[in-house]
Amino acid sequence: MGFSLSQVFLIALGYLLFLFMVAWITDRGWLPARLVRHPAVYVFSLGVYASAWAVYGSIGYAYQYGYNFLAYFLGISGVFMLAPMVLSPILRLTTTHQLGSLADLLAFRYRSRLVGAMTALMMLIGMLPLLSQQIKAVAESIQLLTTEAEPTGVAFWFCVLVTLFAILFGARHATAREKHEGLVVAIAMESVIKLIAFASVTLLGLFGVFGGPAELGAWLEANPEALTRLYQPLQDGTWHSIILAFFVSAVVMPHMFHMAFTENLNPRALMTASWAVPLWLLVMALCIPVLLWVAAAAELVAPPDYYFLAVGSLSGPKGALLAFIAGLAGASGMLIVATLALSAMTLNHLVLPVRQSRPLDESLYRWLLWARRLLICAILALVYLFYTATGERHSLTELAVLSFVATLQFVPGLIGTLFWPGANRNGLFSGLVVGFTLWALTLLLPILTSGGYPSWLFELLDISRRSPAAQWHHVAMASVICNSLVFVLVSLFTRTSQAERNAADTCAVGSLRRPLRWELEATSADDFIAHLTEPLGPVTAAREVDMALRDLHLTRAETRPYALRRLRDQVETNLSGLLGPSVAHQIVDDHLPYKPQSEQESSEDIQFIETRLELYRHRLSGLAAELDSLRRFHRQTLLELPMGVISLGADGEIIGWNLAMEQLTGIGAERTIGARLTTLPRPWNPLLHNFANGDLSRDPQAELPEPDGPPRLLSLHKSQVLGALPGERTGGLVIVIEDVTDLHALEARVAHNERLASIGRLAAGVAHEIGNPVTAIACLAQNLDHEPDADDVRQAATQIVEQTRRISRIVESLITFSHSGGGNLEGIQGPISLHDTVAEAIGLLRLDPGRRSQAFANHCNPDHRVRGDSQRLLQVFVNLLANATDASPDDAPITVRSRLVDEGQSVEIEVEDRGHGIPTSLRDTLFEPFATSKPAGRGTGLGLALVYSIIEDHFGSLRVESPVADQRGTRFIITLPGFSDDT
Amino acid sequence: MYTDRLLIIFILGTYLLSPAIIEWWSEGGQAWYRPYLMWLLLIGLCYWIGKSRDFDGI
C-alpha cells in the first residue's frame, strides 16, 4: 500500500514516544490532578479491553459468526452495567487490602500460596495466545501495509519496542503499590485515538463507498444476503454460551483487572464507567457491520481479519495510516498493561515466595525493580516464542478465544470470593486443575501440535477435531461447568481452615467481618520494627512500620492493644502491595504473632466492628438499616448518659468510654479505647483497676484524691456483661461511675436541716423538761435562806447539783443530736448497741410534749450490735419513731425489736406501729425526697429519704410493709451488717 | 445482600428469557440496528440509576 518498512516502524516508534510523553508529563504533575482523576480518564483507560482483536479480529469474527460478534462487546458492557454488584466489591477489596491482581485476590481470599502461584502460572499460560495475537495483528498489518516485510522479523522488533515501553511505563517504581497515573492517562489517550480512528475509517468507508447512510440502506435492500449472513448464526443457539464467556472473563483478564482495580485513581468513577464504558463499546460495535458491508460492496480481497485496514486503504495512505494507528493503539496498550500485570503477578506468586527463604534486606526495593523488569522481558520473550510456534497458522479469533476460555476458569473462584464464604482452597485448586486440563487438552493442544490429543474427549464434548477453536463455546461451557462442580463439591466435603474462614468473611459481599481480639506479642510500635527487622532489614522495617502508622494517623508512642492490632493489619496490607499477599501474610504471621490463646478466650473486636459498620452504614438497606439505626440510638444513649460508663472486654481492654467519662476524667475516648485500665493516668488507674478486680460490686463513696483540694467522692457500680443467651457470659464488665461529691454535700446539709427542724419541734418539750428542774432549783434556793442547819443546806445543794445535771443531760443530748452526722463515715466501724441507740431515740422523742404519752416498747436485744455511725443511726430511729408516733394514736404501742439473720452476719430491726398505715399512692415514692402523708407544715418529706440514704451508706437495706394487720399499722424493716469481735 | 439477590434473580431471568429477545432481534430485517437500540436503552437506564443513586462503592 505504498509504505516502506522503515516508515511504518518510525510511525510506530513516534506513536509510542507520543504516548510516553503523555505519561511522562502526567507523572511530572504537569497535568492538573482534577483532569487526571476525572471519571472520563478512567472510562477511556478501560478501553484497553478493545485490543487489536476488537479492531481487526472482531470484523473477521462478524464475517464468520454474524451478530455473535456483539457478545464480545455486550458481555463486558453487562459487567459494567452491573458494576455496583460485581465490580464495586472487588474494587473495595483490592483498595482496602492493596491487592494488585487476581492472583493476589485469590491468594488473599483462600489463604494459600499455592492458589496464588497456580493462578499466576495459569494466567500466564492462558494469556499467551491473546498476547501473541496482538503481535501477530501488528506484524501482519505491517506486512499488508508494506507488502514486503517478513512478519516474524517485524514481530520481533515490535516485541523489543513494547518491552522497552512496558518498562518505561510501568516498572519505574519498585512496587505495584504506587498508582501509575501516567500509564492510566496514556492508555486513556490511546483509547481516544483508537475510537476516533475506528469511527473515522468507518465514516470514510461509508461515505466513500456508499455515499451516506441512506445509500447504505438502499444497498442492503438490494443485497438482503448481507443481512442474512449477520442474522443466520444467531439461530444456532450458541449465543448464550458465547455471551456468558465474554461476560465473566472480561473482569478476570489481567489487563482489565489492572486498569479497573489496581490503577483506579477515583473509586467513584466506577459509577460513571457503568454507563460510559458500554457507550464507548457501543460506538465501536456499531462500526463493525458497516465496515463489513463497505468491504463487501467494494469487493475487497483482503482477509476478513484485516478488512478494517483494507477499508482504510480505500481512502488512500492517510486512511490506511489511521487504520494502522487504531490497530497499533489496541495492540500496544493491551500488551503493555497485560505484561505489567502479569509481571507483578508472577513476581509476587512465583518468584518472591522462592526468594523469601533468603532474608530481604535494604536492597529490597532495588531488587524488586530489577526483578519486575526482567520478568517483563521474559514474558514478552515467551509471547514471541508462542507467536512463532503458532501465530502464523491460526486466525486472530482462534488465538483470542483460547485466552478467553482459559481466563474463564478463574470465574468460579471469583464468584466464591464474593458470594460464597463456604468455598475453600481445596475446592478452588481442584476446580482449576479440572477446568484448565480440559482447556489445555481441547483447545491449547490442538493449536500447539498437529495431532496426538485425546479423541475420546472430543467425542465426549461433541467437538469436531478439525477445528476445535470454532466450537470453543462448547469447551468454554463444558470446562467451566466441570470446574464449578468440582469446586463446589470439594469445598463442601473438605475442611476449611480458620484463617481461610476469616478471609472469606472479609471478602464476601454482605458479610461483616467479625475479627477476634487477640493479644499481640509485640507491645509497641518499636517492638514491631524489632520483630520485622529479621525478615526485612532495619531500614525497610522502620520505613514500613512508619508508613503504616502514618496511614492510621498513629504515632510511634502507641501501645494500645487495639491500635497495635490495626497496625499489624496495615503493615500486612502495605507489605501485600509490595510483596503480594502470600509473602506478606507469611512474614506478618511469623514475625508479628499473636499470643497463644484459645478461641474461647478471645472476644470479638467490637470497636473494629463498630468502625466498619460506621464506614459501610450507607450500604445497609431494609432491615439491616433499621437495625443499624437502633444500634446507633442505643450507642448514642450510652454515649450521652449523664453517668460515666466504661465497658471492658474479657481481657480488660477498654471498649467503651462515654462522654460523661471524658468530662469526669478529662481523658478523651480516642486515648482510652483499646487500652487497658492499668495504662490510664493516676489517680484513675489505681481507683478503677482495683475496683474492677475487687470483690465489691459497688462502692458508694470511693475517694478520688485531688491534687489541690478535698478528695472527690465517686459512686462506683460494676456488673458482668451477659451474652444474648440466658446464662451466657461474654466475660465483659461494665462500670458505671457517678460523681456524688455535690450530692453528698447536699445530703449532709439536708440531714443537718432535718435535725434542726427536729430540735425546733422538741423546743417546747425541752422548755418543759428544763422548767421542772429550774422550778425545783428556785424553790431550793429560796428555802436556803431559812435553813440554818448546815446539813439541810448541804442536802439542798446536792439536790440543786442533781437538778442542774439533769438540765445538762438534756442540753448535751440536744447539742449532740444537732451536731451529729455531717456525712463523715469515719465512725462507721464502731460497734453500736441497737438497744441503747433506740432507747436514746425514745428519750429524745419524749422531750416532745406531743409524744410524751406515746407508748414505746424497746425489745431490742442488748447483745445485738451493728457496724456503723451511732449518731447517724440515732437519726434513723428518731425519724422512724417520730413518723410512727405521728401516725399512731397515743394508746397504740410502737414496738422496736431486733433479731439476727444471715446466720448471724446481719441484724434485722423492725419498727412497727399500729397507726393508719401508708396510703397506696405514696408507697412507690416513699423513700424519695419530699414524699409525705403529713399535712402541710408538719413534715418536710425529707425524713424517710434521709433514713434510706443513711441505711444505704451503712451497706444495709430498708423495706416497708403496710398494712401489717387488720388494715392498720406499718412496719419498717432495716437490715444492717452485724458487728462481731472478729470483724 | 437482599437487593443483590433480587438482582441476581432478575439477571438470571433475563438471561433465560433471552431466546425471545434474540428472536425479536433476528426478525429485524432491514432494522439491523435493533440490538443497538436495546443496548442504548440499557445505557440510558444505567445512567439514570447512577444519577439517582449516591454511589457508595467504597
Side-chain angles (χ1 to χ4, degrees):
Chain A
M1 295 181 197
F3 288 97
S4 71
L5 186 61
S6 54
Q7 273 178 322
V8 175
F9 196 78
L10 277 176
I11 289 166
L13 186 68
Y15 169 77
L16 286 172
L17 272 174
F18 164 71
L19 277 192
F20 180 70
M21 283 303 291
V22 172
W24 188 73
I25 285 171
T26 312
D27 281 340
R28 293 293 296 253
W30 291 356
L31 286 183
R34 261 182 62 199
L35 180 72
V36 174
R37 287 167 184 267
H38 195 277
V41 172
Y42 178 66
V43 168
F44 281 112
S45 75
L46 291 167
V48 74
Y49 177 73
S51 62
W53 193 65
V55 179
Y56 297 138
S58 61
I59 302 167
Y61 191 77
Y63 178 81
Q64 202 174 350
Y65 301 104
Y67 259 137
N68 280 330
F69 85 88
L70 272 185
Y72 172 74
F73 296 95
L74 269 175
I76 188 164
S77 296
V79 172
F80 275 92
M81 284 174 183
L82 297 174
M85 199 180 87
V86 183
L87 304 182
S88 287
I90 303 177
L91 182 59
R92 175 176 61 82
L93 284 174
T94 53
T95 312
T96 312
H97 302 285
Q98 297 223 0
L99 306 171
S101 66
L102 183 73
D104 280 4
L105 179 62
L106 295 182
F108 175 79
R109 157 62 180 84
Y110 295 95
R111 285 286 177 226
S112 163
R113 275 186 176 193
L114 187 64
V115 163
M118 215 164 108
T119 307
L121 191 66
M122 288 181 176
M123 191 62 94
L124 180 63
I125 297 171
M127 284 300 290
L128 284 179
L130 191 63
L131 293 173
S132 72
Q133 187 225 41
Q134 311 303 311
I135 309 262
K136 177 183 162 74
V138 173
E140 288 181 354
S141 61
I142 291 178
Q143 190 191 20
L144 283 171
L145 278 181
T146 57
T147 62
E148 57 178 285
E150 189 266 319
T152 324
V154 173
F156 175 76
W157 288 110
F158 181 60
C159 274
V160 171
L161 211 57
V162 166
T163 307
L164 266 175
F165 277 92
I167 290 171
L168 282 173
F169 273 120
R172 284 182 295 139
H173 303 292
T175 84
R177 198 157 61 186
E178 285 99 18
K179 307 272 185 198
H180 303 105
E181 290 185 345
L183 176 73
V184 175
V185 175
I187 297 294
M189 174 59 78
E190 199 161 52
S191 292
V192 174
I193 292 171
K194 199 160 48 187
L195 186 69
I196 292 173
F198 203 67
S200 305
V201 168
T202 309
L203 289 175
L204 282 174
L206 176 66
F207 286 94
V209 173
F210 294 115
E215 288 79 1
L216 170 67
W219 183 85
L220 282 174
E221 234 171 281
N223 298 281
E225 72 281 357
L227 279 171
T228 316
R229 286 188 67 149
L230 269 187
Y231 290 130
Q232 195 66 45
L234 282 177
Q235 307 301 329
D236 63 9
T238 54
W239 171 260
H240 272 84
S241 35
I242 296 173
I243 196 162
L244 186 71
F246 283 121
F247 176 82
V248 284
S249 58
V251 192
V252 293
M253 288 270 178
H255 53 295
M256 281 308 285
F257 196 96
H258 192 79
M259 291 319 289
F261 308 119
T262 316
E263 297 290 357
N264 180 296
L265 302 171
N266 173 12
R268 282 175 177 270
L270 197 58
M271 209 57 197
T272 310
S274 75
W275 60 266
V277 169
L279 187 64
W280 188 90
L281 290 163
L282 171 74
V283 177
M284 290 283 288
L286 190 61
C287 297
I288 289 169
V290 179
L291 285 166
L292 259 184
W293 297 324
V294 170
E299 295 175 352
L300 294 175
V301 286
D305 273 348
Y306 296 100
Y307 271 174
F308 178 63
L309 201 62
V311 170
S313 305
L314 287 175
S315 318
K318 281 183 185 166
L321 202 62
L322 217 57
F324 173 69
I325 296 274
L328 182 68
S332 58
M334 190 266 170
L335 268 175
I336 289 171
V337 178
T339 311
L340 287 176
L342 284 170
S343 68
M345 210 185 275
T346 43
L347 177 66
N348 286 350
H349 298 278
L350 296 174
V351 180
L352 272 174
V354 181
R355 164 96 201 314
Q356 204 209 339
S357 53
R358 287 188 289 144
L360 305 162
D361 48 25
E362 286 81 61
S363 59
L364 173 68
Y365 299 104
R366 207 178 57 236
W367 186 88
L368 283 172
L369 188 63
W370 279 104
R372 283 199 79 190
R373 288 172 180 170
L374 284 174
L375 278 169
I376 288 172
C377 296
I379 290 166
L380 282 165
L382 262 178
V383 171
Y384 178 72
L385 285 177
F386 190 89
Y387 163 69
T388 50
T390 64
E392 287 184 78
R393 284 182 283 119
H394 299 281
S395 72
L396 295 180
T397 300
E398 277 177 299
L399 293 172
V401 295
L402 204 60
S403 288
F404 273 103
V405 182
T407 52
L408 198 59
Q409 306 310 322
F410 298 105
V411 171
L414 188 64
I415 292 175
T417 300
L418 296 181
F419 301 108
W420 189 32
N424 69 21
R425 69 177 77 136
N426 302 325
L428 180 73
F429 185 79
S430 317
L432 275 180
V433 168
V434 169
F436 218 70
T437 310
L438 271 175
W439 169 80
L441 289 177
T442 52
L443 288 179
L444 185 66
L445 218 55
I447 278 193
L448 287 175
T449 60
S450 50
Y453 37 86
S455 53
W456 59 270
L457 196 61
F458 282 77
E459 280 154 23
L460 186 74
L461 298 174
D462 192 24
I463 302 171
S464 154
R465 258 179 286 172
R466 272 184 301 175
S467 153
Q471 288 153 302
W472 65 275
H473 45 271
H474 280 300
V475 181
M477 289 310 276
S479 58
V480 91
I481 286 171
C482 292
N483 177 345
S484 307
L485 267 177
V486 172
F487 173 55
V488 170
L489 289 175
V490 176
S491 292
L492 285 177
F493 293 107
T494 55
R495 207 184 137 269
T496 309
S497 71
Q498 184 58 43
E500 205 179 338
R501 224 173 288 152
N502 291 345
D505 283 341
T506 308
C507 296
V509 173
S511 146
L512 186 67
R513 188 179 167 197
R514 295 156 70 88
L516 295 176
R517 212 174 41 236
W518 285 345
E519 204 179 339
L520 282 165
E521 282 190 1
T523 53
S524 67
D526 289 332
D527 261 10
F528 268 59
I529 297 172
H531 281 80
L532 288 174
T533 297
E534 191 192 329
L536 299 176
V539 177
T540 312
R543 197 187 295 179
E544 289 297 323
V545 171
D546 284 340
M547 189 197 288
L549 284 169
R550 258 198 318 278
D551 292 343
L552 295 169
H553 307 292
L554 299 174
T555 61
R556 275 230 190 162
E558 193 56 73
T559 55
R560 288 180 299 153
Y562 165 76
L564 294 180
R565 281 195 300 275
R566 295 291 80 75
L567 183 63
R568 183 188 192 270
D569 289 349
Q570 192 61 41
V571 166
E572 185 179 337
T573 300
N574 291 355
L575 282 178
S576 171
L578 186 69
L579 308 166
S582 301
V583 175
H585 186 67
Q586 196 65 46
I587 288 177
V588 169
D589 256 12
D590 290 349
H591 299 279
L592 294 172
Y594 291 109
K595 281 184 182 167
Q597 57 192 327
S598 71
E599 201 134 295
Q600 285 74 28
E601 283 172 3
S602 54
S603 47
E604 283 172 3
D605 207 334
I606 308 256
Q607 185 63 26
F608 187 50
I609 294 174
E610 278 219 310
T611 314
R612 284 181 55 116
L613 269 177
E614 284 299 312
L615 206 62
Y616 299 136
R617 185 166 56 89
H618 48 267
R619 295 171 57 192
L620 301 174
S621 60
L623 190 61
E626 293 292 325
L627 283 171
D628 187 58
S629 301
L630 203 63
R631 173 193 72 83
R632 293 170 69 77
F633 174 73
H634 287 148
R635 192 180 185 283
Q636 207 59 27
T637 307
L638 204 62
L639 205 65
E640 292 183 6
L641 206 69
M643 288 168 134
V645 178
I646 308 171
S647 185
L648 299 174
D651 50 2
E653 219 176 281
I654 300 171
I655 51 181
W657 186 270
N658 75 349
L659 292 175
M661 265 324 284
E662 289 188 5
Q663 282 165 3
L664 201 61
T665 58
I667 309 167
E670 70 286 348
R671 280 179 56 202
T672 54
I673 296 291
R676 293 182 195 281
L677 289 177
T678 45
T679 59
L680 293 177
R682 292 183 72 84
W684 293 99
N685 160 14
L687 178 82
L688 293 174
H689 180 69
N690 293 342
F691 178 66
N693 293 300
D695 296 329
L696 290 175
S697 66
R698 57 183 291 266
D699 184 351
Q701 289 184 357
E703 278 189 18
L704 182 80
E706 287 282 302
D708 44 358
R712 264 201 280 175
L713 283 176
L714 301 176
S715 168
L716 305 176
H717 298 253
K718 73 176 177 193
S719 172
Q720 286 286 334
V721 179
L722 297 175
L725 301 171
E728 183 201 0
R729 277 175 181 238
T730 61
L733 194 70
V734 61
I735 300 176
V736 180
I737 302 168
E738 191 180 13
D739 189 346
V740 290
T741 315
D742 294 342
L743 184 72
H744 204 76
L746 183 70
E747 219 173 54
R749 276 203 301 278
V750 167
H752 187 67
N753 289 344
E754 177 67 4
R755 273 190 298 277
L756 292 181
S758 303
I759 289 164
R761 284 196 294 278
L762 297 175
V766 170
H768 179 79
E769 279 296 311
I770 294 176
N772 288 341
V774 166
T775 310
I777 291 166
C779 287
L780 287 166
Q782 279 171 5
N783 290 342
L784 278 178
D785 281 349
H786 313 290
E787 294 289 351
D789 190 357
D791 288 341
D792 289 343
V793 172
R794 212 173 292 123
Q795 194 182 350
T798 309
Q799 283 174 339
I800 287 170
V801 169
E802 201 175 298
Q803 293 302 323
T804 49
R805 276 190 189 144
R806 191 175 156 197
I807 293 169
S808 296
R809 263 203 314 277
I810 293 165
V811 172
E812 267 172 26
S813 177
L814 272 176
I815 289 170
T816 311
F817 181 61
S818 66
H819 285 288
S820 62
N824 190 350
L825 276 183
E826 276 171 9
I828 202 160
Q829 299 294 337
I832 313 293
S833 164
L834 284 171
H835 183 273
D836 293 352
T837 310
V838 172
E840 198 175 342
I842 292 170
L844 275 169
L845 285 170
R846 285 210 187 282
L847 292 173
D848 186 346
R851 289 170 174 138
R852 195 163 298 149
S853 56
Q854 186 73 52
F856 291 104
N858 182 356
H859 295 312
C860 288
N861 187 330
D863 294 335
H864 289 174
R865 292 177 301 169
V866 294
R867 295 171 61 203
D869 181 333
S870 61
Q871 296 308 329
R872 298 187 77 194
L873 286 179
L874 177 63
Q875 171 100 55
V876 168
F877 291 115
V878 165
N879 284 10
L880 289 180
L881 291 170
N883 281 350
T885 53
D886 289 343
S888 307
D890 285 354
D891 56 342
I894 294 167
T895 316
V896 186
R897 61 176 78 86
S898 66
R899 63 193 172 95
L900 292 175
V901 291
D902 292 342
E903 298 173 344
Q905 296 296 309
S906 308
V907 184
E908 202 171 80
I909 308 114
E910 291 179 2
V911 180
E912 186 181 316
D913 65 54
R914 305 290 294 156
H916 53 63
I918 298 166
T920 320
S921 58
L922 262 181
R923 266 174 218 166
D924 291 341
T925 56
L926 195 62
F927 297 118
E928 289 177 12
F930 310 109
T932 179
S933 61
K934 295 173 189 172
R938 286 216 54 190
T940 58
L942 293 168
L944 279 179
L946 191 65
V947 167
Y948 186 84
S949 162
I950 294 171
I951 296 298
E952 224 186 13
D953 288 350
H954 282 76
F955 305 103
S957 66
L958 174 65
R959 63 183 203 277
V960 64
E961 293 171 3
S962 178
V964 180
D966 306 330
Q967 300 302 313
R968 294 186 67 76
T970 304
R971 183 187 294 142
F972 284 91
I973 302 156
I974 303 166
T975 310
L976 288 169
F979 184 91
S980 60
D981 293 333
D982 55 336
T983 52
Chain B
M1 193 58 201
Y2 181 67
T3 324
D4 290 347
R5 278 182 193 160
L6 275 182
L7 206 59
I8 290 168
I9 291 167
F10 173 75
I11 293 160
L12 205 67
T14 316
Y15 182 69
L16 292 175
L17 283 173
S18 60
I21 301 169
I22 303 270
E23 205 176 320
W24 169 78
W25 164 10
S26 50
E27 283 168 2
Q30 289 293 310
W32 57 271
Y33 42 81
R34 266 191 190 179
Y36 296 97
L37 282 181
M38 209 167 61
W39 190 350
L40 200 63
L41 195 76
L42 278 175
I43 291 170
L45 196 70
C46 281
Y47 175 74
W48 177 71
I49 290 171
K51 263 196 89 165
S52 59
R53 170 189 168 139
D54 179 26
F55 179 64
D56 47 32
I58 286 284

